Amino acid sequence: MTPVILLTGFLGSGKTTLLQRLLRHPSMEGTAVLVNEFGEVGLDHHLLDQIDENVVLLKSGCICCTVRGEVADALANLHSMRTRGEISFERVVIETTGLADPYPVLQTLTAHPVLRSHFSNGGVLTTVDTVNADIQVTHRAEAVRQIAAADRIVLTKTDLAAPQEEEALRQRLLRVNPAANIITSMSSVETILADFGPLSFFTSSKSATQNHICGPGCGHDAPTKCDSLTDQHRHHDETFGVTSFSLEIEGGIDWTMFGTWLTLLLHKYGDRIFRVKGILAIEGEALPIAIHGVQHLIHAPTHMDHWPKGMDQSGSKSSHLIFILEDIEPEKIRRSFHAFMNVDTVKAAAR
Amino acid sequence: MCSLCGILGCDDHWTNAVVRPGVYTRNHDTLARRTETARRLKSANAVLSFRRLKLDVWQGRSYVVASPTGASSVFEALSHLWPEAEALAGREFDPLDDTFIEWMEGQALS
């Protein structure tokens, strides 16, 4: 499977600059690049052309409604060319237009009958303009979705912002997406790419607890006291209009009923659940399963070969689920989850 | 694909990706596969009974959901379950609806 990294971020947030840096790095050798642009003339294409010959420009602009077929065609074409021996590459980077919701591209990778056998989600990298983030996120829903879909957020233009502004933004971004690692574009390419992928939240050296920012609603004074993502642990950002919360479930859960519940929840509320991500302890299984989804889409769950540090303390296995929601009351999700998981299937079906 | 009726038996729902005998589409262990299917039916039927619907296996490879009046609908993959069930019931299944949650809580293991 060839990983596909999705590079997204709002207009002018520094996606192309970051991509140029990444592509120059030796570890990114063998990368095919798809560039999607909104506008008559694709300038980014020319900027990148010098770096990598496998650049395909998707011409029709807005990736969210028109280009899905083009993304699929471009990826299928790359695959065909590689099979014929005309080109070789080990990974693909798709740079989306700044106005794109990342969800359709991720869905294309999962749902396309050919692509899903050859390409996998390599993670979503989102650039956020430190100076203008507040204005962009307040006025454009796409910017929130890009942040919510991110596995790693790269803050750009940090040299133009005051340190306290950057720190405030970091905390707000974590309230929107507690499952993302946040770094700055000043970091080395090695740092930006270290352990990067859809499961980087669970597999990177930073554990889930370290990445957690406590606010006034947490009941903790400092992040160091926040040693678990507890049931109903939630954060709400008024300006971004997004709530994130985590659910911790002790003991193993019934995978089949969980699947029934989550499928129904996403069927009904997928457009308002920007992200669901978690590690599940499954009844009858020794090792956890990681799941991650964006809106209506759940990627194929991943079997982990070990428990992440700090999540299997004293042998008591527990599941952690993180939700990023818009206009949904977290308490309802918690209650619904427990109602489904505790149901007596024989009693219920006897109705 | 079943050569008799042309039904594609490719249930590629994400819940299939769990290490358990009987889950994978390409699994040829009939007994394990049927055990897994029975487990799914049990879970889904516990929820569907809220609207008095019932899910069953159709031809061993697809699913059929039926109403108490006998109306039924055949579909291939679990991802189609909820749209089909809602169409058949004429009402929605809202997992966050208070009435629905209260009903589910009333069916809890004692």
Side-chain angles (χ1 to χ4, degrees):
Chain A
M1 297 284 262
T2 308
V4 177
I5 296 171
L6 200 60
L7 175 60
T8 185
F10 205 68
L11 295 169
S13 62
K15 294 182 293 298
T16 307
T17 311
L18 179 64
L19 182 58
Q20 282 178 305
R21 263 189 75 202
L22 295 179
L23 291 177
R24 281 196 199 102
H25 196 265
S27 69
M28 290 293 276
E29 205 172 301
T31 302
V33 184
L34 301 181
V35 183
N36 176 229
E37 283 188 68
F38 192 78
E40 291 285 313
V41 182
L43 286 176
D44 285 359
H45 174 52
H46 299 296
L47 293 174
L48 290 165
D49 219 355
Q50 306 301 315
I51 300 163
D52 196 300
E53 59 184 12
N54 297 334
V55 175
V56 177
L57 183 66
L58 307 174
K59 289 179 186 133
S60 51
C62 179
I63 205 163
C64 52
C65 40
T66 56
V67 179
R68 217 165 92 192
E70 255 192 64
V71 170
D73 291 347
L75 282 172
N77 191 34
L78 281 176
H79 174 65
S80 302
M81 288 168 74
R82 181 170 60 178
T83 309
R84 291 196 298 267
E86 293 169 12
I87 55 170
S88 72
F89 59 90
E90 292 162 22
R91 72 187 70 75
V92 178
V93 174
I94 300 179
E95 183 194 344
T96 74
T97 154
L99 292 170
D101 178 349
Y103 165 68
V105 178
L106 296 173
Q107 192 193 33
T108 304
L109 288 180
T110 308
H112 192 281
V114 174
L115 299 183
R116 71 178 180 202
S117 304
H118 301 288
F119 296 95
S120 63
N121 173 12
V124 179
L125 194 61
T126 302
T127 51
V128 174
D129 178 339
T130 312
V131 181
N132 298 312
D134 281 359
I135 300 167
Q136 288 166 353
V137 171
T138 308
H139 295 290
R140 302 298 304 211
E142 297 90 348
V144 179
R145 287 172 186 245
Q146 289 164 356
I147 292 164
D151 295 301
R152 183 158 293 167
I153 294 172
V154 180
L155 294 180
T156 59
K157 306 178 192 176
T158 45
D159 51 337
L160 301 177
Q164 58 269 32
E165 277 180 58
E166 184 191 324
E167 186 51 34
L169 179 64
R170 276 173 180 267
Q171 300 220 6
R172 296 184 67 195
L173 293 174
L174 278 180
R175 273 183 238 130
V176 174
N177 187 350
N181 302 126
I182 302 179
I183 50 176
T184 71
S185 58
M186 311 293 253
S187 311
S188 65
V189 172
E190 285 86 355
T191 310
I192 293 171
L193 295 174
D195 293 324
F196 179 66
L199 299 175
S200 54
F201 175 59
F202 302 112
T203 55
S204 73
S205 53
K206 282 189 169 184
S207 74
T209 54
Q210 282 174 301
N211 204 21
H212 188 82
I213 294 290
C214 283
C218 288
H220 311 283
D221 296 330
T224 49
K225 288 190 178 179
C226 187
D227 56 0
S228 80
L229 296 170
T230 54
D231 202 1
Q232 291 191 78
H233 211 125
R234 55 175 286 187
H235 297 289
H236 179 68
D237 192 283
E238 289 295 339
T239 319
F240 291 179
V242 174
T243 303
S244 64
F245 93 110
S246 61
L247 197 61
E248 181 179 317
I249 310 109
E250 290 299 326
I253 65 170
D254 174 353
W255 173 256
T256 312
M257 185 50 101
F258 174 76
T260 305
W261 175 74
L262 190 60
T263 305
L264 178 56
L265 183 71
L266 296 180
H267 161 65
K268 214 68 216 161
Y269 292 99
D271 53 343
R272 287 196 266 155
I273 298 178
F274 291 165
R275 197 73 190 264
V276 53
K277 197 165 189 173
I279 284 204
L280 304 174
I282 303 293
E283 271 175 10
E285 291 193 26
L287 291 169
I289 288 180
I291 63 154
H292 58 108
V294 177
Q295 298 176 49
H296 290 280
L297 173 76
I298 291 281
H299 293 283
T302 309
H303 296 270
M304 302 188 70
D305 54 10
H306 64 279
W307 279 88
K309 199 180 165 189
M311 288 185 69
D312 184 26
Q313 289 161 340
S314 66
S316 61
K317 297 180 175 66
S318 59
S319 302
H320 299 259
L321 273 174
I322 294 168
F323 291 87
I324 303 176
L325 312 163
E326 184 186 53
D327 295 332
I328 297 179
E329 181 52 49
E331 169 58 20
K332 283 204 169 186
I333 290 193
R334 188 197 64 79
R335 198 178 149 205
S336 173
F337 174 83
H338 288 298
F340 273 67
M341 299 315 289
N342 293 332
V343 79
D344 181 337
T345 50
V346 177
K347 188 175 163 185
R351 174 182 156 95
Chain B
M1 188 169 77
C2 169
S3 58
L4 284 177
C5 49
I7 295 291
L8 286 163
C10 55
D11 190 348
D12 56 356
H13 194 247
W14 59 270
T15 50
N16 277 352
V18 65
V19 178
R20 194 152 65 192
V23 173
Y24 292 111
T25 314
R26 289 176 193 153
N27 188 307
H28 296 294
D29 181 348
T30 316
L31 196 62
R33 211 169 58 211
R34 291 188 69 163
T35 307
E36 186 60 31
T37 306
R39 207 191 307 235
R40 287 178 175 192
L41 293 182
K42 209 162 88 173
S43 277
N45 277 325
V47 183
L48 288 167
S49 58
F50 178 63
R51 300 256 184 250
R52 304 188 66 197
L53 299 181
K54 194 164 170 25
L55 182 69
D56 213 334
V57 179
W58 189 78
Q59 301 278 353
R61 292 310 296 262
S62 297
Y63 300 92
V64 57
V65 61
S67 78
T69 60
S72 65
S73 175
V74 178
F75 56 96
E76 290 170 31
L78 270 189
S79 46
H80 302 164
L81 169 62
W82 299 112
E84 294 285 351
E86 288 183 337
L88 205 59
R91 299 170 75 183
E92 63 174 11
F93 280 87
D94 182 349
L96 304 185
D97 174 60
D98 286 335
T99 314
F100 188 27
I101 293 175
E102 277 164 25
W103 181 82
M104 289 294 283
E105 286 171 343
Q107 315 299 317
L109 287 163
S110 47

PDB file of all heavy atoms in Angstrom, chain A residues 83-111:
ATOM      1  N   THR A  83       3.049   0.759 -12.531  1.00  0.00           N
ATOM      2  CA  THR A  83       2.939  -0.656 -12.881  1.00  0.00           C
ATOM      3  C   THR A  83       3.624  -0.931 -14.215  1.00  0.00           C
ATOM      4  O   THR A  83       4.248  -1.975 -14.413  1.00  0.00           O
ATOM      5  CB  THR A  83       1.448  -1.058 -12.961  1.00  0.00           C
ATOM      6  OG1 THR A  83       0.822  -0.631 -11.763  1.00  0.00           O
ATOM      7  CG2 THR A  83       1.288  -2.562 -13.087  1.00  0.00           C
ATOM      8  N   ARG A  84       3.510   0.027 -15.123  1.00  0.00           N
ATOM      9  CA  ARG A  84       4.160  -0.133 -16.435  1.00  0.00           C
ATOM     10  C   ARG A  84       5.661   0.123 -16.371  1.00  0.00           C
ATOM     11  O   ARG A  84       6.363  -0.016 -17.359  1.00  0.00           O
ATOM     12  CB  ARG A  84       3.531   0.825 -17.460  1.00  0.00           C
ATOM     13  CG  ARG A  84       2.097   0.479 -17.838  1.00  0.00           C
ATOM     14  CD  ARG A  84       1.679   1.192 -19.113  1.00  0.00           C
ATOM     15  NE  ARG A  84       1.702   2.648 -18.993  1.00  0.00           N
ATOM     16  CZ  ARG A  84       0.647   3.379 -18.640  1.00  0.00           C
ATOM     17  NH1 ARG A  84      -0.503   2.791 -18.378  1.00  0.00           N
ATOM     18  NH2 ARG A  84       0.733   4.687 -18.560  1.00  0.00           N
ATOM     19  N   GLY A  85       6.123   0.554 -15.226  1.00  0.00           N
ATOM     20  CA  GLY A  85       7.550   0.800 -15.057  1.00  0.00           C
ATOM     21  C   GLY A  85       8.009   2.149 -15.570  1.00  0.00           C
ATOM     22  O   GLY A  85       9.207   2.405 -15.711  1.00  0.00           O
ATOM     23  N   GLU A  86       7.071   3.045 -15.849  1.00  0.00           N
ATOM     24  CA  GLU A  86       7.443   4.360 -16.390  1.00  0.00           C
ATOM     25  C   GLU A  86       7.932   5.316 -15.301  1.00  0.00           C
ATOM     26  O   GLU A  86       8.731   6.196 -15.559  1.00  0.00           O
ATOM     27  CB  GLU A  86       6.243   4.973 -17.124  1.00  0.00           C
ATOM     28  CG  GLU A  86       5.866   4.197 -18.379  1.00  0.00           C
ATOM     29  CD  GLU A  86       4.538   4.643 -18.956  1.00  0.00           C
ATOM     30  OE1 GLU A  86       4.013   5.688 -18.536  1.00  0.00           O
ATOM     31  OE2 GLU A  86       4.031   3.923 -19.824  1.00  0.00           O
ATOM     32  N   ILE A  87       7.392   5.157 -14.111  1.00  0.00           N
ATOM     33  CA  ILE A  87       7.827   5.992 -12.991  1.00  0.00           C
ATOM     34  C   ILE A  87       7.932   5.112 -11.749  1.00  0.00           C
ATOM     35  O   ILE A  87       7.447   3.977 -11.743  1.00  0.00           O
ATOM     36  CB  ILE A  87       6.835   7.147 -12.683  1.00  0.00           C
ATOM     37  CG1 ILE A  87       5.430   6.581 -12.446  1.00  0.00           C
ATOM     38  CG2 ILE A  87       6.844   8.185 -13.775  1.00  0.00           C
ATOM     39  CD1 ILE A  87       4.443   7.603 -11.910  1.00  0.00           C
ATOM     40  N   SER A  88       8.570   5.652 -10.749  1.00  0.00           N
ATOM     41  CA  SER A  88       8.545   4.935  -9.476  1.00  0.00           C
ATOM     42  C   SER A  88       8.343   5.945  -8.347  1.00  0.00           C
ATOM     43  O   SER A  88       8.842   7.067  -8.419  1.00  0.00           O
ATOM     44  CB  SER A  88       9.834   4.144  -9.275  1.00  0.00           C
ATOM     45  OG  SER A  88      10.887   5.021  -8.997  1.00  0.00           O
ATOM     46  N   PHE A  89       7.591   5.569  -7.366  1.00  0.00           N
ATOM     47  CA  PHE A  89       7.400   6.430  -6.196  1.00  0.00           C
ATOM     48  C   PHE A  89       6.976   5.550  -5.026  1.00  0.00           C
ATOM     49  O   PHE A  89       6.472   4.438  -5.215  1.00  0.00           O
ATOM     50  CB  PHE A  89       6.351   7.516  -6.471  1.00  0.00           C
ATOM     51  CG  PHE A  89       4.991   7.000  -6.845  1.00  0.00           C
ATOM     52  CD1 PHE A  89       4.032   6.744  -5.886  1.00  0.00           C
ATOM     53  CD2 PHE A  89       4.679   6.755  -8.184  1.00  0.00           C
ATOM     54  CE1 PHE A  89       2.788   6.260  -6.239  1.00  0.00           C
ATOM     55  CE2 PHE A  89       3.423   6.268  -8.542  1.00  0.00           C
ATOM     56  CZ  PHE A  89       2.475   6.023  -7.573  1.00  0.00           C
ATOM     57  N   GLU A  90       7.242   6.066  -3.850  1.00  0.00           N
ATOM     58  CA  GLU A  90       6.912   5.303  -2.633  1.00  0.00           C
ATOM     59  C   GLU A  90       5.764   5.910  -1.859  1.00  0.00           C
ATOM     60  O   GLU A  90       5.172   5.274  -1.003  1.00  0.00           O
ATOM     61  CB  GLU A  90       8.137   5.246  -1.705  1.00  0.00           C
ATOM     62  CG  GLU A  90       9.273   4.432  -2.258  1.00  0.00           C
ATOM     63  CD  GLU A  90      10.575   4.770  -1.554  1.00  0.00           C
ATOM     64  OE1 GLU A  90      10.515   5.275  -0.420  1.00  0.00           O
ATOM     65  OE2 GLU A  90      11.631   4.535  -2.157  1.00  0.00           O
ATOM     66  N   ARG A  91       5.513   7.182  -2.114  1.00  0.00           N
ATOM     67  CA  ARG A  91       4.413   7.836  -1.405  1.00  0.00           C
ATOM     68  C   ARG A  91       3.859   8.941  -2.300  1.00  0.00           C
ATOM     69  O   ARG A  91       4.504   9.357  -3.270  1.00  0.00           O
ATOM     70  CB  ARG A  91       4.868   8.422  -0.066  1.00  0.00           C
ATOM     71  CG  ARG A  91       5.732   9.637  -0.164  1.00  0.00           C
ATOM     72  CD  ARG A  91       6.266  10.060   1.171  1.00  0.00           C
ATOM     73  NE  ARG A  91       7.261   9.110   1.659  1.00  0.00           N
ATOM     74  CZ  ARG A  91       8.504   9.012   1.194  1.00  0.00           C
ATOM     75  NH1 ARG A  91       8.907   9.802   0.212  1.00  0.00           N
ATOM     76  NH2 ARG A  91       9.358   8.135   1.664  1.00  0.00           N
ATOM     77  N   VAL A  92       2.689   9.396  -1.945  1.00  0.00           N
ATOM     78  CA  VAL A  92       2.056  10.481  -2.695  1.00  0.00           C
ATOM     79  C   VAL A  92       1.716  11.595  -1.709  1.00  0.00           C
ATOM     80  O   VAL A  92       1.319  11.329  -0.575  1.00  0.00           O
ATOM     81  CB  VAL A  92       0.748   9.986  -3.375  1.00  0.00           C
ATOM     82  CG1 VAL A  92       0.060  11.122  -4.121  1.00  0.00           C
ATOM     83  CG2 VAL A  92       1.029   8.825  -4.320  1.00  0.00           C
ATOM     84  N   VAL A  93       1.924  12.818  -2.145  1.00  0.00           N
ATOM     85  CA  VAL A  93       1.447  13.959  -1.366  1.00  0.00           C
ATOM     86  C   VAL A  93       0.401  14.688  -2.200  1.00  0.00           C
ATOM     87  O   VAL A  93       0.644  14.997  -3.367  1.00  0.00           O
ATOM     88  CB  VAL A  93       2.594  14.931  -1.000  1.00  0.00           C
ATOM     89  CG1 VAL A  93       2.034  16.181  -0.309  1.00  0.00           C
ATOM     90  CG2 VAL A  93       3.611  14.272  -0.087  1.00  0.00           C
ATOM     91  N   ILE A  94      -0.764  14.911  -1.620  1.00  0.00           N
ATOM     92  CA  ILE A  94      -1.775  15.713  -2.311  1.00  0.00           C
ATOM     93  C   ILE A  94      -1.853  17.051  -1.596  1.00  0.00           C
ATOM     94  O   ILE A  94      -2.158  17.108  -0.400  1.00  0.00           O
ATOM     95  CB  ILE A  94      -3.167  15.038  -2.289  1.00  0.00           C
ATOM     96  CG1 ILE A  94      -3.123  13.672  -2.975  1.00  0.00           C
ATOM     97  CG2 ILE A  94      -4.209  15.938  -2.949  1.00  0.00           C
ATOM     98  CD1 ILE A  94      -4.454  12.930  -2.973  1.00  0.00           C
ATOM     99  N   GLU A  95      -1.550  18.105  -2.332  1.00  0.00           N
ATOM    100  CA  GLU A  95      -1.721  19.438  -1.755  1.00  0.00           C
ATOM    101  C   GLU A  95      -3.085  19.938  -2.198  1.00  0.00           C
ATOM    102  O   GLU A  95      -3.337  20.107  -3.385  1.00  0.00           O
ATOM    103  CB  GLU A  95      -0.624  20.388  -2.241  1.00  0.00           C
ATOM    104  CG  GLU A  95      -0.736  21.758  -1.589  1.00  0.00           C
ATOM    105  CD  GLU A  95       0.096  22.832  -2.275  1.00  0.00           C
ATOM    106  OE1 GLU A  95       0.990  22.483  -3.067  1.00  0.00           O
ATOM    107  OE2 GLU A  95      -0.173  24.009  -2.019  1.00  0.00           O
ATOM    108  N   THR A  96      -3.962  20.149  -1.236  1.00  0.00           N
ATOM    109  CA  THR A  96      -5.316  20.563  -1.592  1.00  0.00           C
ATOM    110  C   THR A  96      -5.392  22.073  -1.719  1.00  0.00           C
ATOM    111  O   THR A  96      -4.522  22.790  -1.246  1.00  0.00           O
ATOM    112  CB  THR A  96      -6.343  20.133  -0.520  1.00  0.00           C
ATOM    113  OG1 THR A  96      -6.186  20.983   0.633  1.00  0.00           O
ATOM    114  CG2 THR A  96      -6.155  18.699  -0.104  1.00  0.00           C
ATOM    115  N   THR A  97      -6.454  22.530  -2.331  1.00  0.00           N
ATOM    116  CA  THR A  97      -6.665  23.972  -2.340  1.00  0.00           C
ATOM    117  C   THR A  97      -7.041  24.410  -0.921  1.00  0.00           C
ATOM    118  O   THR A  97      -7.525  23.626  -0.118  1.00  0.00           O
ATOM    119  CB  THR A  97      -7.791  24.373  -3.333  1.00  0.00           C
ATOM    120  OG1 THR A  97      -8.352  25.600  -2.889  1.00  0.00           O
ATOM    121  CG2 THR A  97      -8.882  23.370  -3.370  1.00  0.00           C
ATOM    122  N   GLY A  98      -6.798  25.663  -0.634  1.00  0.00           N
ATOM    123  CA  GLY A  98      -7.071  26.180   0.704  1.00  0.00           C
ATOM    124  C   GLY A  98      -8.536  26.161   1.085  1.00  0.00           C
ATOM    125  O   GLY A  98      -8.896  26.307   2.247  1.00  0.00           O
ATOM    126  N   LEU A  99      -9.395  25.972   0.092  1.00  0.00           N
ATOM    127  CA  LEU A  99     -10.829  25.989   0.387  1.00  0.00           C
ATOM    128  C   LEU A  99     -11.419  24.597   0.465  1.00  0.00           C
ATOM    129  O   LEU A  99     -12.628  24.411   0.449  1.00  0.00           O
ATOM    130  CB  LEU A  99     -11.566  26.798  -0.688  1.00  0.00           C
ATOM    131  CG  LEU A  99     -11.259  28.291  -0.680  1.00  0.00           C
ATOM    132  CD1 LEU A  99     -11.840  28.950  -1.929  1.00  0.00           C
ATOM    133  CD2 LEU A  99     -11.829  28.958   0.556  1.00  0.00           C
ATOM    134  N   ALA A 100     -10.560  23.588   0.547  1.00  0.00           N
ATOM    135  CA  ALA A 100     -11.070  22.222   0.479  1.00  0.00           C
ATOM    136  C   ALA A 100     -11.351  21.637   1.854  1.00  0.00           C
ATOM    137  O   ALA A 100     -10.608  21.825   2.803  1.00  0.00           O
ATOM    138  CB  ALA A 100     -10.075  21.341  -0.247  1.00  0.00           C
ATOM    139  N   ASP A 101     -12.435  20.904   1.909  1.00  0.00           N
ATOM    140  CA  ASP A 101     -12.716  20.052   3.055  1.00  0.00           C
ATOM    141  C   ASP A 101     -11.959  18.747   2.773  1.00  0.00           C
ATOM    142  O   ASP A 101     -12.135  18.149   1.712  1.00  0.00           O
ATOM    143  CB  ASP A 101     -14.240  19.821   3.085  1.00  0.00           C
ATOM    144  CG  ASP A 101     -14.655  18.910   4.211  1.00  0.00           C
ATOM    145  OD1 ASP A 101     -13.781  18.291   4.844  1.00  0.00           O
ATOM    146  OD2 ASP A 101     -15.870  18.813   4.470  1.00  0.00           O
ATOM    147  N   PRO A 102     -11.111  18.290   3.671  1.00  0.00           N
ATOM    148  CA  PRO A 102     -10.296  17.105   3.369  1.00  0.00           C
ATOM    149  C   PRO A 102     -11.106  15.810   3.251  1.00  0.00           C
ATOM    150  O   PRO A 102     -10.636  14.836   2.680  1.00  0.00           O
ATOM    151  CB  PRO A 102      -9.357  16.994   4.583  1.00  0.00           C
ATOM    152  CG  PRO A 102      -9.490  18.260   5.331  1.00  0.00           C
ATOM    153  CD  PRO A 102     -10.808  18.856   4.980  1.00  0.00           C
ATOM    154  N   TYR A 103     -12.324  15.822   3.759  1.00  0.00           N
ATOM    155  CA  TYR A 103     -13.101  14.596   3.822  1.00  0.00           C
ATOM    156  C   TYR A 103     -13.298  13.885   2.473  1.00  0.00           C
ATOM    157  O   TYR A 103     -13.089  12.677   2.382  1.00  0.00           O
ATOM    158  CB  TYR A 103     -14.446  14.893   4.499  1.00  0.00           C
ATOM    159  CG  TYR A 103     -15.494  13.842   4.330  1.00  0.00           C
ATOM    160  CD1 TYR A 103     -15.359  12.584   4.918  1.00  0.00           C
ATOM    161  CD2 TYR A 103     -16.639  14.088   3.578  1.00  0.00           C
ATOM    162  CE1 TYR A 103     -16.331  11.618   4.746  1.00  0.00           C
ATOM    163  CE2 TYR A 103     -17.604  13.126   3.411  1.00  0.00           C
ATOM    164  CZ  TYR A 103     -17.452  11.896   3.993  1.00  0.00           C
ATOM    165  OH  TYR A 103     -18.410  10.940   3.818  1.00  0.00           O
ATOM    166  N   PRO A 104     -13.700  14.588   1.388  1.00  0.00           N
ATOM    167  CA  PRO A 104     -13.940  13.870   0.130  1.00  0.00           C
ATOM    168  C   PRO A 104     -12.716  13.122  -0.382  1.00  0.00           C
ATOM    169  O   PRO A 104     -12.847  12.041  -0.958  1.00  0.00           O
ATOM    170  CB  PRO A 104     -14.353  14.982  -0.843  1.00  0.00           C
ATOM    171  CG  PRO A 104     -14.850  16.070   0.009  1.00  0.00           C
ATOM    172  CD  PRO A 104     -14.031  16.016   1.253  1.00  0.00           C
ATOM    173  N   VAL A 105     -11.532  13.704  -0.183  1.00  0.00           N
ATOM    174  CA  VAL A 105     -10.329  13.025  -0.676  1.00  0.00           C
ATOM    175  C   VAL A 105     -10.079  11.751   0.139  1.00  0.00           C
ATOM    176  O   VAL A 105      -9.775  10.684  -0.405  1.00  0.00           O
ATOM    177  CB  VAL A 105      -9.098  13.945  -0.602  1.00  0.00           C
ATOM    178  CG1 VAL A 105      -7.852  13.213  -1.072  1.00  0.00           C
ATOM    179  CG2 VAL A 105      -9.319  15.178  -1.449  1.00  0.00           C
ATOM    180  N   LEU A 106     -10.245  11.866   1.458  1.00  0.00           N
ATOM    181  CA  LEU A 106     -10.055  10.693   2.301  1.00  0.00           C
ATOM    182  C   LEU A 106     -11.072   9.621   1.944  1.00  0.00           C
ATOM    183  O   LEU A 106     -10.771   8.435   1.933  1.00  0.00           O
ATOM    184  CB  LEU A 106     -10.207  11.093   3.783  1.00  0.00           C
ATOM    185  CG  LEU A 106      -9.164  12.069   4.303  1.00  0.00           C
ATOM    186  CD1 LEU A 106      -9.511  12.520   5.705  1.00  0.00           C
ATOM    187  CD2 LEU A 106      -7.784  11.417   4.297  1.00  0.00           C
ATOM    188  N   GLN A 107     -12.282  10.063   1.632  1.00  0.00           N
ATOM    189  CA  GLN A 107     -13.313   9.106   1.273  1.00  0.00           C
ATOM    190  C   GLN A 107     -12.968   8.418  -0.047  1.00  0.00           C
ATOM    191  O   GLN A 107     -13.175   7.214  -0.209  1.00  0.00           O
ATOM    192  CB  GLN A 107     -14.664   9.811   1.160  1.00  0.00           C
ATOM    193  CG  GLN A 107     -15.798   8.810   1.089  1.00  0.00           C
ATOM    194  CD  GLN A 107     -17.094   9.447   0.663  1.00  0.00           C
ATOM    195  OE1 GLN A 107     -17.106  10.385  -0.130  1.00  0.00           O
ATOM    196  NE2 GLN A 107     -18.183   8.942   1.178  1.00  0.00           N
ATOM    197  N   THR A 108     -12.428   9.198  -0.987  1.00  0.00           N
ATOM    198  CA  THR A 108     -12.027   8.616  -2.264  1.00  0.00           C
ATOM    199  C   THR A 108     -11.017   7.495  -2.046  1.00  0.00           C
ATOM    200  O   THR A 108     -11.103   6.433  -2.663  1.00  0.00           O
ATOM    201  CB  THR A 108     -11.407   9.707  -3.167  1.00  0.00           C
ATOM    202  OG1 THR A 108     -12.358  10.757  -3.315  1.00  0.00           O
ATOM    203  CG2 THR A 108     -11.034   9.169  -4.524  1.00  0.00           C
ATOM    204  N   LEU A 109     -10.067   7.741  -1.142  1.00  0.00           N
ATOM    205  CA  LEU A 109      -9.039   6.725  -0.891  1.00  0.00           C
ATOM    206  C   LEU A 109      -9.643   5.451  -0.315  1.00  0.00           C
ATOM    207  O   LEU A 109      -9.182   4.349  -0.596  1.00  0.00           O
ATOM    208  CB  LEU A 109      -8.010   7.253   0.123  1.00  0.00           C
ATOM    209  CG  LEU A 109      -7.057   8.320  -0.348  1.00  0.00           C
ATOM    210  CD1 LEU A 109      -6.124   8.717   0.784  1.00  0.00           C
ATOM    211  CD2 LEU A 109      -6.236   7.807  -1.523  1.00  0.00           C
ATOM    212  N   THR A 110     -10.656   5.611   0.504  1.00  0.00           N
ATOM    213  CA  THR A 110     -11.242   4.451   1.175  1.00  0.00           C
ATOM    214  C   THR A 110     -12.278   3.748   0.315  1.00  0.00           C
ATOM    215  O   THR A 110     -12.410   2.527   0.366  1.00  0.00           O
ATOM    216  CB  THR A 110     -11.924   4.907   2.487  1.00  0.00           C
ATOM    217  OG1 THR A 110     -10.975   5.669   3.213  1.00  0.00           O
ATOM    218  CG2 THR A 110     -12.359   3.734   3.314  1.00  0.00           C
ATOM    219  N   ALA A 111     -13.030   4.523  -0.450  1.00  0.00           N
ATOM    220  CA  ALA A 111     -14.179   3.947  -1.134  1.00  0.00           C
ATOM    221  C   ALA A 111     -13.903   3.543  -2.586  1.00  0.00           C
ATOM    222  O   ALA A 111     -14.581   2.672  -3.120  1.00  0.00           O
ATOM    223  CB  ALA A 111     -15.338   4.929  -1.100  1.00  0.00           C
TER     224      ALA A 111
END
